[in-house]
Amino acid sequence: MKSLKLVAGIVAAATAAISLTSAVGAYDFGNKNLGKNWSINAEIPAEEFASLTENSYVTITFDVDQTETEYWCIKPCDKAESWVFIDPDGVGGPELSEGKDSYPIQQDDTSITFKVPSQFVESVKANGMAIMGHSITLKEMTISDKAPETEAAPETSAPAESGTGAAGDVNKPSDDKNNANTGIEGVAVVAAIAVLSASAIVISRKRK
């Protein structure tokens, strides 16, 4: 009975993951190199921001130009006539540059996440967004109502205790007659993999 509940729990969690990822919008920049002289930019059409709100998380992934040694930054702009920097204005997010007109990037960074303040939301939804920057190559933009998860530190397992089982085998686990091995756990794993594979398919569908 416990094993059946385990199956149901895993499938429910995986289904919830699919629902979440299906709400994520993705835009592929096609590896747009912004160069080093501010003459190149990438424009994102307005239709990509149809679901944008002031609570949305906009994440842009990129590669950093490793030939540069001092200065990397990214500057999302409202693509209205003035191309104003989308200043977070106290809503939190990445640290601003000294001039308060861009987001500085470190040499080992691969992404940046920010929110679009309420005063810019309607304009971005109507006009789109322009991305400027220095010494980075743009890869993808995603919009989600959930904050991106940070990487967890790898778990370290404790070393197995040495010992001798009933038949003299080293590290042989003892039999627990109250928990018979029914094989249901294997079914749970297979079911979870199948559902999570479907989730991966949803994530991999990107629009250009």
Side-chain angles (χ1 to χ4, degrees), residues 82-112:
S82 55
W83 277 39
V84 175
F85 170 56
I86 300 178
D87 187 344
D89 192 25
V91 300
E95 177 185 355
L96 291 177
S97 64
E98 191 171 324
K100 309 298 182 185
D101 59 355
S102 65
Y103 295 122
I105 290 171
Q106 303 303 314
Q107 192 169 9
D108 57 350
D109 287 347
T110 58
S111 69
I112 191 168

Side-chain angles (χ1 to χ4, degrees), residues 9-130:
I10 293 176
V11 172
T15 302
I18 291 177
S19 299
L20 172 60
T21 53
S22 64
V24 176
Y27 179 80
D28 189 350
F29 288 106
N31 292 322
K32 181 78 171 183
N33 188 343
L34 296 182
K36 299 184 179 185
N37 57 12
W38 293 95
S39 62
I40 304 173
N41 61 76
E43 298 186 26
I44 308 170
E47 56 262 29
E48 298 295 331
F49 299 97
S51 62
L52 182 72
T53 72
E54 61 185 289
N55 296 315
S56 301
Y57 292 87
V58 179
T59 298
I60 296 177
T61 59
F62 49 78
D63 288 329
V64 169
D65 182 355
Q66 298 298 324
T67 66
E68 173 67 40
T69 58
E70 295 181 354
Y71 177 52
W72 308 268
C73 77
I74 189 168
K75 183 174 182 174
C77 301
D78 178 0
K79 212 183 76 174
E81 293 182 12
S82 55
W83 277 39
V84 175
F85 170 56
I86 300 178
D87 187 344
D89 192 25
V91 300
E95 177 185 355
L96 291 177
S97 64
E98 191 171 324
K100 309 298 182 185
D101 59 355
S102 65
Y103 295 122
I105 290 171
Q106 303 303 314
Q107 192 169 9
D108 57 350
D109 287 347
T110 58
S111 69
I112 191 168
T113 298
F114 58 91
K115 289 184 175 182
V116 176
S118 56
Q119 66 267 32
F120 288 99
V121 169
E122 292 306 317
S123 181
V124 170
K125 292 177 74 169
N127 302 293
M129 185 183 293

